[in-house]
Amino acid sequence: MSDLVFAADAEKMMAIAPDIQATLLENLARFEIEAFERARAVAGPRSSEAAAMALRREEALQMTLRQALYLGDRAIAQHPLRYVASQLGIDLGDQDEDWTALAYEATKVLLDISQERARRQQGVYDQPTVFFRRAINTPVCGAAVQSIAQADVNVAPAAFASTGALPASVPAAPTTGIEPGRVTAPAPAPSTPVVREPPKQDTTAPTEALSQFKNTTALSQIVLPAGLDAPDGYDEESWQQARIVARPPRILVDRTLLSEGSRAALEKQRGITLTEAIELYFELLSWGYRAPFNVNQKRKKMRANLKDATLEERLCEDYRGKRNLALDFWPSVIGNEPVDEISIEELNDALELFWRVPANHGRSSKDRAKYNLIEKIEMADVLEAQREKDIQAAEERGAGAEEIDKMRLKGHIPRISVTTYIKHGRVLRAIGEMLWDMQLIDYDPFTICNWTNDEENALKSDEGRRQREPWDDRFYDLLRSPIFQDPLKDIGDPLFWAPLIARFMGMRMEEILQLGPEDFGSDRGIPYLRVRNTIINGLKTLSSERTLPIHPQLIELGLLKLVELRKKEDHIRLFPSLNRGKQKGTFSANFSKAFGYYRRTNDCYWLGMDFHSLRTTFHHDLLGDDKSDAIRCRLMGHTYRDEGDRSYGQSLGIEKLANRMKSVVVDISMIRSPFDTPGVTTRSKAAEHGLRVVG
């Protein structure tokens, strides 16, 4: 008896036995489903709003359960397990060593239960009712049974046609799935399904044969790909199961980096929506992932301060603009539906409407916050319609051709350029390629969002010339604007110096703005500046690092005086008032906007003539003098073209570079030097002695 008592006591202290765990989990599922079915059976009719609310409740519950699985939270399963254990007369203690494993499995069972409830609420059941099965399994007569058996054949989807039979189980790894050829637009229908006679002892219908492949931890929305047709003998659910088996999700990114929404989207086997796909794509870009997404890849190095930043802070300015437009426009036009279900017709309609987006749609932050792109298109259409009415009225009263043309010019609202159209259209193509690589879609409608060089050139030929061009005599109109004529509050104003340095020395904007006093020196009596790559300065390319003689006309305007003044003031920059942009971390991010605003507000803005065009103009001057190409490349910071130049060109003397620089001559007689301003000399001398002029 003492042995029995000891054994009984020891048994209570043992871990939860496997059979007990199985009993608890099975009864947990059974209790929940039976209670649900009973409640539905006795409930009265309900409105569509109440039905939709019940489904939303299940979706919220599933999200909570997935979050618990992701965080390893076992508490969510504690109460349901204790309830089932009490009903079975089992003393369940959460101190048992197997408690965590049991609670983990129970959480998955609860997720399965919620998904099953959602399916049943929509009338989707895994198999016919017991009454129906009994009815069709009851022998009627030999001939009828034989007829039924002969009619019940296995129909395999095209993806499985060559395998001879349906797979026995889900492939162990995504790479073992059979991947059909990618569908291009317009998408052809899949090849004809293969119909085979049933095995001698297996007349299982397609739905039942594929039931073993159902995911028990995630509910996949039933998706009907717009460019595909279901094979004969498959309903919507079994067809989707077959597609998932053929191309199971292949996710090769670190999910822990992603937001909760993107992780939930990746959990879907099918049915990722357009908005989810856009957010997922730009999140992956923000962490350094790039196409193709069907291979493992290493992330790019990221600054430490961006690791805890928001998505918008991690994205560069270009990607941020593409993301904002994609989220604003495409779902509004196409709808936030599963990507597979977007038809070519819907996409073509959206692309056609996209042409009508106003060219200045993103310039005003106030307008961006007030109107979406669809509203901006409508407002532009209204203004153009009014312009046409005004022109028609003018023609009726006998207005001349010149007056009519003036009205057309004044009332014209430019729409987006071909370059902008193609740039944003290709975002959709990249999103489709990402989803295809991850095997989350079976049909990619975005393959049409691709333009060959010939197509792009044809579109641009209708648009007209809009590319960057060198400055002509209108550069002197810029020099006659206030910044070059009036006394300056700051003799080192970058709006004065930066354009001149770019025009006389061909330097890039960022190279100019990050200059400091220590970058200047002299060699053999010739002043120079160095474009260097340091811990605080960045360069576009390796060949950009160079030493440039300072143009004599810049010295005449007082550039070296500014350098000496900044040294006395103990500044490390020529333009210390400039701040870096938050996204790119460059000075040019903010200055380019200031320079554009200055030109527009002072009547010296012309399309195609921007800051970089000043460097282009300097380059044209060098090309036009028909002299050494090696020296031209050295001054421009271009890659050296031949082996002799790469190996021996470093010995080019400063005198030769200076002589070539002097060949570029610009009339600056209309410019007022900052150091000609009254009082500047006095302030400069005071700064040398650590004094400040007060009156």
Side-chain angles (χ1 to χ4, degrees), residues 105-178:
E105 292 298 328
T107 305
K108 292 198 292 183
V109 170
L110 290 171
L111 183 55
D112 290 336
I113 292 168
S114 177
Q115 293 164 356
E116 182 64 20
R117 283 198 301 258
R119 283 193 290 267
R120 294 190 179 201
Q121 288 196 56
Q122 300 174 80
V124 178
Y125 289 83
D126 291 340
Q127 57 185 349
T129 65
V130 62
F131 309 106
F132 180 79
R133 293 199 303 272
R134 288 174 183 172
I136 63 173
N137 289 331
T138 301
V140 287
C141 67
V145 172
Q146 180 67 20
S147 174
I148 293 172
Q150 290 178 353
D152 191 10
V153 297
N154 255 345
V155 183
F160 295 142
S162 61
T163 66
L166 292 173
S169 61
V170 177
T175 54
T176 63
I178 303 170

Side-chain angles (χ1 to χ4, degrees), residues 262-279:
S262 290
R263 288 198 303 270
L266 287 177
E267 287 294 328
K268 295 182 177 182
Q269 294 178 320
R270 293 298 185 270
I272 186 169
T273 64
L274 179 56
T275 299
E276 291 172 334
I278 293 171
E279 285 286 25

Side-chain angles (χ1 to χ4, degrees), residues 596-664:
Y597 178 78
Y598 173 81
R599 290 184 295 132
R600 284 192 295 271
T601 54
N602 288 279
D603 297 327
C604 48
Y605 181 90
W606 300 279
L607 194 65
M609 294 182 182
D610 56 9
F611 190 95
H612 195 82
S613 294
L614 297 169
R615 170 177 163 86
T616 303
T617 309
F618 174 80
H619 193 198
H620 281 209
D621 290 342
L622 296 181
L623 288 169
D625 60 15
D626 196 25
K627 295 180 180 178
S628 168
D629 200 49
I631 295 179
R632 178 189 63 81
C633 289
R634 189 61 49 83
L635 292 174
M636 293 297 299
H638 288 165
T639 303
Y640 314 137
R641 293 194 171 187
D642 55 60
E643 180 59 33
D645 188 36
R646 283 195 297 268
S647 301
Y648 307 105
Q650 288 80 1
S651 60
L652 282 173
I654 191 73
E655 299 97 335
K656 293 182 179 179
L657 296 176
N659 288 333
R660 186 68 178 274
M661 185 78 76
K662 291 177 183 177
S663 67
V664 177

